[in-house]
Amino acid sequence: QSVLTQPPSVSGAPGQRVTISCTGSSSNIGAGYDVHWYQQLPGTAPKLLIYSNNNRPSGVPDRFSGYKSGTSASLAITELQAEDEADYYCQSYDSRVQWVFGGGTVLTVL
Amino acid sequence: EVHLLESGGGLAQPGGSLRLSCAASGFTFSTYAMSWVRQAPGKGLEWVSAVSGSGSKTYYADSVKGRFTISRDNSKNTLYLQMNSLGVDDTAVFHCAREGVGGHGPHVDYWGQGILVTVSS
């Protein structure tokens, strides 16, 4: 069981908006540690999507955005495209166990 | 361009050992902390170990503490992971990862493609 909790799957039609939640606790997200998001396309290595809660690395479309509040965070994807179909992981730091990842969310574009 | 290339994976017997290497290029290796992150078949990501830029500080997940040793050779721009007492639960793709700078808490800004480690008799 992962320290950070994500929904196993989400889906949406092209053009729609979807969100993926990431729930932690007072020893990680709630302690003020940043949340980061990774996208893993099928058969490839993960790629940094959002860092430090709401920052996009160069080259990541502004359709992707992050939000953090309290002990939770979320990733929003607007104008959903077929190429967004992937696994998404949140990650933070925990004062007890160091690096922590969410269990991952499979995004299906209908 | 940042490039991370893992090698040294393969098949190991339970109780055996393997040494992974990660050749880094495209950045000043010694100025970045590095990590290993693994992914068991069909499962999620699990952080394994990290090392500071100088190599003086090392960190381990509880699941590998006492069995795995992370190290680096900054003169060769290479990261290592010595894995001993391997168990079937260590079967995974191991990714070499560069840690991004800034913010409050570590993250990965570049990932290697990964190398498969299979532990089986």
Side-chain angles (χ1 to χ4, degrees), chain B residues 22-93:
Chain B
C22 170
S25 60
F27 64 102
T28 305
F29 183 66
S30 61
T31 64
Y32 286 86
M34 299 292 294
S35 281
W36 290 97
V37 178
R38 68 183 178 183
Q39 187 169 28
K43 302 296 184 180
L45 301 171
E46 179 190 16
W47 172 76
V48 173
S49 182
V51 61
S52 63
S54 67
S56 62
K57 297 181 180 179
T58 58
Y59 310 87
Y60 299 95
D62 288 344
S63 58
V64 306
K65 199 173 295 182
R67 301 188 299 122
F68 290 11
T69 302
I70 192 171
S71 62
R72 63 192 297 161
D73 185 336
N74 287 343
S75 69
K76 296 182 179 179
N77 289 350
T78 302
L79 175 72
Y80 302 101
L81 186 67
Q82 177 67 44
M83 304 185 293
N84 298 330
S85 303
L86 284 164
V88 294
D89 289 347
D90 294 316
T91 295
V93 171

